[in-house]
Amino acid sequence: MVQPETGRWLIMALAIVVAAVALVLGVAFAFQRSLIYPVGRAPAPPAVGATPGYRDIVFATADGLQLRALYRPARGRPTIVFFHGNADGLAGGVAAMRGLAAADYGVLIPEYRGYAGQPGRISEAGLYADGAGALAWLAQAGVPPGDTVLIGNSLGSGIAVELATRRRDWRALVIVSGFTSLPDAVAATFGIGLLRPLVRDRYASAAKLRGIGLPVLILHGDADRVIGVDHGIALAKAAGTVASLRIVPGAGHDLVWYPATATTIADWLS
């Protein structure tokens, strides 16, 4: 039998634990975007004019930002709009697109608000606006949707999926190392399902892919320890018959930089 004094101490200890957990969750909720978007870990952007084959351009967003992008015109091929992943930037995008650029595909790599010294505060809606602004610039440059391929890597897959669902006449959508939703990815990372409702930015890609009306290629490494391969499988299932799934044995979360990835994408597009 628990003595009254012991019972009081147990209740106090439990209250302290609950308060500590609530405090940690409250701080994490308040500052989650700083945790989710680690822009300080991104590589330094290339100097203006320092990327051979590309030219620096500035595009506008609907909420009035002016953001940087790198662009190289196509040579008889479609143009790829590449949405980079978290803790990445223009330099990483150029490296990821090297093989496709060498195959004469056009490439547009937009930078996001809050990344690499760009103006604006990061949010899911904001990154969608950035992607939409980049696509509007490309259309004004004379590249129609039917010649535009959207490729999203990791975090960028959430942006690419959202924009792909806004119209049905894009050439294709390619998802590399993507996730079903950001809450799913966060819950898997920390092993705590209760974190899902606390994640403000959703990027609900699996739900958005249902009924999508354009071809989708999904690439995922089976050794990805950042976003498990089960996410890629679930995305393909959500997209249904329009999806082609390629699981790469032994590949991790750096799949987008594998030379074979560019070859796979080019072969599929052809």
Side-chain angles (χ1 to χ4, degrees):
M1 182 175 178
V2 178
Q3 296 298 319
E5 189 67 24
T6 303
R8 283 194 292 271
W9 278 108
L10 288 174
I11 292 172
M12 288 178 62
L14 180 60
I16 291 171
V17 170
V18 170
V21 170
L23 177 61
V24 170
L25 290 176
V27 171
F29 180 79
F31 296 98
Q32 62 181 266
R33 284 183 175 141
S34 298
L35 300 172
I36 291 171
Y37 306 105
V39 295
R41 299 209 317 258
V48 174
T51 308
Y54 287 83
R55 64 185 177 95
D56 275 88
I57 64 102
V58 175
F59 66 92
T61 67
D63 54 349
L65 298 182
Q66 299 285 315
L67 301 176
R68 183 187 180 192
L70 294 176
Y71 175 64
R72 62 181 297 147
R75 297 179 180 178
R77 298 274 196 175
T79 294
I80 291 164
V81 183
F82 180 74
F83 299 101
H84 68 71
N86 219 352
D88 198 12
L90 297 178
V94 170
M97 293 294 99
R98 184 173 291 122
L100 290 165
D104 294 331
Y105 285 87
V107 180
L108 175 64
I109 308 170
E111 190 51 283
Y112 311 144
R113 66 186 62 209
Y115 281 70
Q118 299 299 292
R121 298 181 63 180
I122 305 170
S123 69
E124 178 182 8
L127 267 58
Y128 292 161
D130 300 345
L135 291 172
W137 182 93
L138 188 64
Q140 291 172 359
V143 179
D147 284 332
T148 302
V149 178
L150 310 183
I151 298 183
N153 178 53
S154 191
L155 173 69
S157 69
I159 304 170
V161 168
E162 166 65 21
L163 297 173
T165 59
R166 294 185 178 184
R167 58 189 306 161
R168 291 176 173 266
D169 52 350
W170 305 114
R171 181 67 165 260
L173 168 66
V174 179
I175 299 171
V176 185
S177 305
F179 47 71
T180 53
S181 73
L182 188 57
D184 288 346
V186 170
T189 297
F190 293 99
I192 305 174
L194 292 175
L195 290 176
R196 282 190 177 90
L198 299 179
V199 181
R200 291 176 180 170
D201 294 343
R202 312 302 286 180
Y203 300 100
S205 294
K208 294 174 184 178
L209 284 175
R210 296 186 182 99
I212 192 168
L214 67 153
V216 183
L217 173 63
I218 298 170
L219 300 168
H220 217 111
D222 68 359
D224 191 332
R225 287 179 168 76
V226 178
I227 300 173
V229 68
D230 55 311
H231 285 262
I233 295 170
L235 289 171
K237 183 178 180 180
T241 58
V242 299
S244 299
L245 174 64
R246 306 283 192 274
I247 298 175
V248 184
H253 200 60
D254 56 348
L255 176 61
V256 76
W257 292 287
Y258 287 27
T261 298
T263 302
T264 299
I265 294 172
D267 290 345
W268 181 77
L269 289 172
S270 297

PDB file of all heavy atoms in Angstrom, residues 45-63:
ATOM      1  N   PRO A  45      25.610  29.748 -51.911  1.00  0.00           N
ATOM      2  CA  PRO A  45      25.165  29.826 -53.303  1.00  0.00           C
ATOM      3  C   PRO A  45      26.310  30.251 -54.210  1.00  0.00           C
ATOM      4  O   PRO A  45      27.236  30.943 -53.780  1.00  0.00           O
ATOM      5  CB  PRO A  45      24.071  30.897 -53.261  1.00  0.00           C
ATOM      6  CG  PRO A  45      24.452  31.766 -52.105  1.00  0.00           C
ATOM      7  CD  PRO A  45      25.056  30.841 -51.095  1.00  0.00           C
ATOM      8  N   PRO A  46      26.277  29.845 -55.477  1.00  0.00           N
ATOM      9  CA  PRO A  46      27.318  30.292 -56.399  1.00  0.00           C
ATOM     10  C   PRO A  46      27.223  31.796 -56.627  1.00  0.00           C
ATOM     11  O   PRO A  46      26.135  32.380 -56.561  1.00  0.00           O
ATOM     12  CB  PRO A  46      27.011  29.512 -57.681  1.00  0.00           C
ATOM     13  CG  PRO A  46      25.562  29.152 -57.582  1.00  0.00           C
ATOM     14  CD  PRO A  46      25.277  28.978 -56.124  1.00  0.00           C
ATOM     15  N   ALA A  47      28.351  32.411 -56.873  1.00  0.00           N
ATOM     16  CA  ALA A  47      28.359  33.842 -57.169  1.00  0.00           C
ATOM     17  C   ALA A  47      27.586  34.102 -58.454  1.00  0.00           C
ATOM     18  O   ALA A  47      27.496  33.242 -59.337  1.00  0.00           O
ATOM     19  CB  ALA A  47      29.792  34.344 -57.306  1.00  0.00           C
ATOM     20  N   VAL A  48      27.017  35.271 -58.543  1.00  0.00           N
ATOM     21  CA  VAL A  48      26.260  35.636 -59.745  1.00  0.00           C
ATOM     22  C   VAL A  48      27.173  35.548 -60.964  1.00  0.00           C
ATOM     23  O   VAL A  48      28.279  36.085 -60.977  1.00  0.00           O
ATOM     24  CB  VAL A  48      25.676  37.057 -59.604  1.00  0.00           C
ATOM     25  CG1 VAL A  48      25.006  37.491 -60.909  1.00  0.00           C
ATOM     26  CG2 VAL A  48      24.686  37.111 -58.453  1.00  0.00           C
ATOM     27  N   GLY A  49      26.705  34.843 -61.973  1.00  0.00           N
ATOM     28  CA  GLY A  49      27.468  34.701 -63.208  1.00  0.00           C
ATOM     29  C   GLY A  49      28.564  33.661 -63.162  1.00  0.00           C
ATOM     30  O   GLY A  49      29.330  33.532 -64.116  1.00  0.00           O
ATOM     31  N   ALA A  50      28.623  32.885 -62.066  1.00  0.00           N
ATOM     32  CA  ALA A  50      29.735  31.950 -61.894  1.00  0.00           C
ATOM     33  C   ALA A  50      29.363  30.500 -62.196  1.00  0.00           C
ATOM     34  O   ALA A  50      30.140  29.600 -61.896  1.00  0.00           O
ATOM     35  CB  ALA A  50      30.276  32.047 -60.470  1.00  0.00           C
ATOM     36  N   THR A  51      28.180  30.267 -62.781  1.00  0.00           N
ATOM     37  CA  THR A  51      27.753  28.902 -63.083  1.00  0.00           C
ATOM     38  C   THR A  51      27.727  28.712 -64.595  1.00  0.00           C
ATOM     39  O   THR A  51      26.800  29.165 -65.271  1.00  0.00           O
ATOM     40  CB  THR A  51      26.354  28.615 -62.499  1.00  0.00           C
ATOM     41  OG1 THR A  51      26.340  28.962 -61.111  1.00  0.00           O
ATOM     42  CG2 THR A  51      26.009  27.143 -62.654  1.00  0.00           C
ATOM     43  N   PRO A  52      28.743  28.063 -65.162  1.00  0.00           N
ATOM     44  CA  PRO A  52      28.811  27.900 -66.624  1.00  0.00           C
ATOM     45  C   PRO A  52      27.559  27.238 -67.188  1.00  0.00           C
ATOM     46  O   PRO A  52      27.049  26.262 -66.641  1.00  0.00           O
ATOM     47  CB  PRO A  52      30.041  27.000 -66.813  1.00  0.00           C
ATOM     48  CG  PRO A  52      30.874  27.231 -65.602  1.00  0.00           C
ATOM     49  CD  PRO A  52      29.897  27.445 -64.481  1.00  0.00           C
ATOM     50  N   GLY A  53      27.066  27.785 -68.290  1.00  0.00           N
ATOM     51  CA  GLY A  53      25.891  27.241 -68.947  1.00  0.00           C
ATOM     52  C   GLY A  53      24.585  27.797 -68.437  1.00  0.00           C
ATOM     53  O   GLY A  53      23.545  27.618 -69.068  1.00  0.00           O
ATOM     54  N   TYR A  54      24.621  28.435 -67.280  1.00  0.00           N
ATOM     55  CA  TYR A  54      23.421  29.007 -66.690  1.00  0.00           C
ATOM     56  C   TYR A  54      23.519  30.528 -66.672  1.00  0.00           C
ATOM     57  O   TYR A  54      24.616  31.091 -66.623  1.00  0.00           O
ATOM     58  CB  TYR A  54      23.239  28.539 -65.239  1.00  0.00           C
ATOM     59  CG  TYR A  54      22.804  27.103 -65.082  1.00  0.00           C
ATOM     60  CD1 TYR A  54      23.747  26.074 -65.114  1.00  0.00           C
ATOM     61  CD2 TYR A  54      21.468  26.774 -64.895  1.00  0.00           C
ATOM     62  CE1 TYR A  54      23.359  24.749 -64.950  1.00  0.00           C
ATOM     63  CE2 TYR A  54      21.077  25.456 -64.730  1.00  0.00           C
ATOM     64  CZ  TYR A  54      22.019  24.440 -64.766  1.00  0.00           C
ATOM     65  OH  TYR A  54      21.637  23.138 -64.608  1.00  0.00           O
ATOM     66  N   ARG A  55      22.365  31.149 -66.674  1.00  0.00           N
ATOM     67  CA  ARG A  55      22.338  32.581 -66.420  1.00  0.00           C
ATOM     68  C   ARG A  55      21.476  32.864 -65.202  1.00  0.00           C
ATOM     69  O   ARG A  55      20.514  32.157 -64.932  1.00  0.00           O
ATOM     70  CB  ARG A  55      21.854  33.374 -67.632  1.00  0.00           C
ATOM     71  CG  ARG A  55      20.426  33.124 -68.072  1.00  0.00           C
ATOM     72  CD  ARG A  55      20.162  33.907 -69.373  1.00  0.00           C
ATOM     73  NE  ARG A  55      18.850  33.671 -69.917  1.00  0.00           N
ATOM     74  CZ  ARG A  55      17.787  34.432 -69.704  1.00  0.00           C
ATOM     75  NH1 ARG A  55      17.890  35.485 -68.917  1.00  0.00           N
ATOM     76  NH2 ARG A  55      16.628  34.153 -70.266  1.00  0.00           N
ATOM     77  N   ASP A  56      21.865  33.868 -64.455  1.00  0.00           N
ATOM     78  CA  ASP A  56      21.098  34.267 -63.285  1.00  0.00           C
ATOM     79  C   ASP A  56      19.865  35.037 -63.713  1.00  0.00           C
ATOM     80  O   ASP A  56      19.950  35.934 -64.567  1.00  0.00           O
ATOM     81  CB  ASP A  56      21.954  35.143 -62.375  1.00  0.00           C
ATOM     82  CG  ASP A  56      22.801  34.332 -61.427  1.00  0.00           C
ATOM     83  OD1 ASP A  56      23.927  33.970 -61.824  1.00  0.00           O
ATOM     84  OD2 ASP A  56      22.335  34.049 -60.317  1.00  0.00           O
ATOM     85  N   ILE A  57      18.751  34.687 -63.137  1.00  0.00           N
ATOM     86  CA  ILE A  57      17.520  35.436 -63.392  1.00  0.00           C
ATOM     87  C   ILE A  57      16.858  35.756 -62.053  1.00  0.00           C
ATOM     88  O   ILE A  57      17.176  35.153 -61.029  1.00  0.00           O
ATOM     89  CB  ILE A  57      16.555  34.669 -64.335  1.00  0.00           C
ATOM     90  CG1 ILE A  57      16.061  33.367 -63.682  1.00  0.00           C
ATOM     91  CG2 ILE A  57      17.233  34.357 -65.660  1.00  0.00           C
ATOM     92  CD1 ILE A  57      14.667  33.439 -63.134  1.00  0.00           C
ATOM     93  N   VAL A  58      15.935  36.680 -62.078  1.00  0.00           N
ATOM     94  CA  VAL A  58      15.147  37.038 -60.899  1.00  0.00           C
ATOM     95  C   VAL A  58      13.682  36.886 -61.272  1.00  0.00           C
ATOM     96  O   VAL A  58      13.237  37.369 -62.318  1.00  0.00           O
ATOM     97  CB  VAL A  58      15.440  38.481 -60.442  1.00  0.00           C
ATOM     98  CG1 VAL A  58      14.512  38.870 -59.293  1.00  0.00           C
ATOM     99  CG2 VAL A  58      16.897  38.621 -60.018  1.00  0.00           C
ATOM    100  N   PHE A  59      12.939  36.177 -60.433  1.00  0.00           N
ATOM    101  CA  PHE A  59      11.513  36.010 -60.697  1.00  0.00           C
ATOM    102  C   PHE A  59      10.721  36.585 -59.528  1.00  0.00           C
ATOM    103  O   PHE A  59      11.222  36.704 -58.396  1.00  0.00           O
ATOM    104  CB  PHE A  59      11.154  34.535 -60.927  1.00  0.00           C
ATOM    105  CG  PHE A  59      11.336  33.645 -59.730  1.00  0.00           C
ATOM    106  CD1 PHE A  59      10.293  33.397 -58.843  1.00  0.00           C
ATOM    107  CD2 PHE A  59      12.562  33.030 -59.487  1.00  0.00           C
ATOM    108  CE1 PHE A  59      10.458  32.576 -57.745  1.00  0.00           C
ATOM    109  CE2 PHE A  59      12.740  32.197 -58.388  1.00  0.00           C
ATOM    110  CZ  PHE A  59      11.693  31.969 -57.514  1.00  0.00           C
ATOM    111  N   ALA A  60       9.470  36.929 -59.801  1.00  0.00           N
ATOM    112  CA  ALA A  60       8.611  37.550 -58.788  1.00  0.00           C
ATOM    113  C   ALA A  60       7.609  36.544 -58.245  1.00  0.00           C
ATOM    114  O   ALA A  60       7.164  35.633 -58.950  1.00  0.00           O
ATOM    115  CB  ALA A  60       7.867  38.733 -59.399  1.00  0.00           C
ATOM    116  N   THR A  61       7.253  36.707 -56.989  1.00  0.00           N
ATOM    117  CA  THR A  61       6.204  35.887 -56.379  1.00  0.00           C
ATOM    118  C   THR A  61       4.930  36.718 -56.241  1.00  0.00           C
ATOM    119  O   THR A  61       4.966  37.952 -56.299  1.00  0.00           O
ATOM    120  CB  THR A  61       6.628  35.376 -54.999  1.00  0.00           C
ATOM    121  OG1 THR A  61       6.732  36.492 -54.098  1.00  0.00           O
ATOM    122  CG2 THR A  61       7.965  34.666 -55.072  1.00  0.00           C
ATOM    123  N   ALA A  62       3.811  36.032 -56.029  1.00  0.00           N
ATOM    124  CA  ALA A  62       2.532  36.731 -55.934  1.00  0.00           C
ATOM    125  C   ALA A  62       2.471  37.664 -54.735  1.00  0.00           C
ATOM    126  O   ALA A  62       1.692  38.630 -54.739  1.00  0.00           O
ATOM    127  CB  ALA A  62       1.392  35.711 -55.852  1.00  0.00           C
ATOM    128  N   ASP A  63       3.289  37.385 -53.706  1.00  0.00           N
ATOM    129  CA  ASP A  63       3.274  38.264 -52.534  1.00  0.00           C
ATOM    130  C   ASP A  63       4.408  39.280 -52.542  1.00  0.00           C
ATOM    131  O   ASP A  63       4.769  39.834 -51.514  1.00  0.00           O
ATOM    132  CB  ASP A  63       3.286  37.453 -51.239  1.00  0.00           C
ATOM    133  CG  ASP A  63       4.443  36.460 -51.170  1.00  0.00           C
ATOM    134  OD1 ASP A  63       5.113  36.237 -52.200  1.00  0.00           O
ATOM    135  OD2 ASP A  63       4.686  35.901 -50.086  1.00  0.00           O
TER     136      ASP A  63
END
